[in-house]
Amino acid sequence: MGWLKRIFGQDKPAKAQSHRSSKATTTQSKSASRPASTGTPTETTAKTVPPERVGLNGEYDESGLAKRVALAFDEEPQLTDIDTLWIAQTSTTVVLKGKVPSQNDLKKMVEVAREVDGATQVDTKQVEVG
């Protein structure tokens, strides 16, 4: 099914982007990792929306960061959908809740979530391993 579909009930929109950037090569600003604006209302809005509130298509979305993390999980070949884990957000913090099979799975999820534009922390206090 996939993370985005299971948690948010959405299929991946055609032009959706997780806005994942490698923090190891952070010579560009965070805003530079977002698509360049061509002046359409959605893209213009993305310029004024805080990174954690940017939706899958650049629109304002209260759960934008969590949805983009779900999309990033879907796009990561090393991760499969774990139906006992949920993704939420509190401001710029990605919150993972539930149960994962292994510490390695959790470590990879944290790594991927941190790469999503707008994420400053990943909270795993509510995750049970095993």
Side-chain angles (χ1 to χ4, degrees), residues 38-110:
T38 58
T40 62
T42 300
E43 291 174 340
T44 304
T45 303
K47 285 183 154 185
T48 59
V49 175
E52 71 275 12
R53 300 293 182 216
V54 175
L56 296 172
N57 292 309
E59 76 287 3
Y60 180 88
D61 186 332
E62 276 293 317
S63 300
L65 175 59
K67 287 178 182 175
R68 288 184 289 111
V69 168
L71 179 58
F73 284 3
D74 282 336
E75 293 173 341
E76 177 55 53
Q78 294 177 6
L79 292 177
T80 57
D81 185 18
I82 300 171
D83 62 4
T84 55
L85 190 81
W86 299 89
I87 306 163
Q89 77 180 79
T90 304
S91 187
T92 61
T93 300
V94 175
V95 181
L96 301 179
K97 304 175 184 185
K99 187 174 181 177
V100 296
S102 73
Q103 189 64 42
N104 285 338
D105 288 331
L106 182 58
K107 181 179 175 184
K108 184 63 180 177
M109 289 175 196
V110 169

Side-chain angles (χ1 to χ4, degrees), residues 19-23 25-35 51-52 65 68 92 113-121:
H19 302 288
R20 218 171 133 190
S21 62
S22 173
K23 304 273 178 163
T25 58
T26 327
T27 53
Q28 61 181 358
S29 71
K30 283 192 175 238
S31 61
S33 65
R34 277 192 246 138
E52 71 275 12
L65 175 59
R68 288 184 289 111
T92 61
R114 283 186 177 148
E115 292 176 354
V116 176
D117 188 30
T120 59
Q121 296 180 54

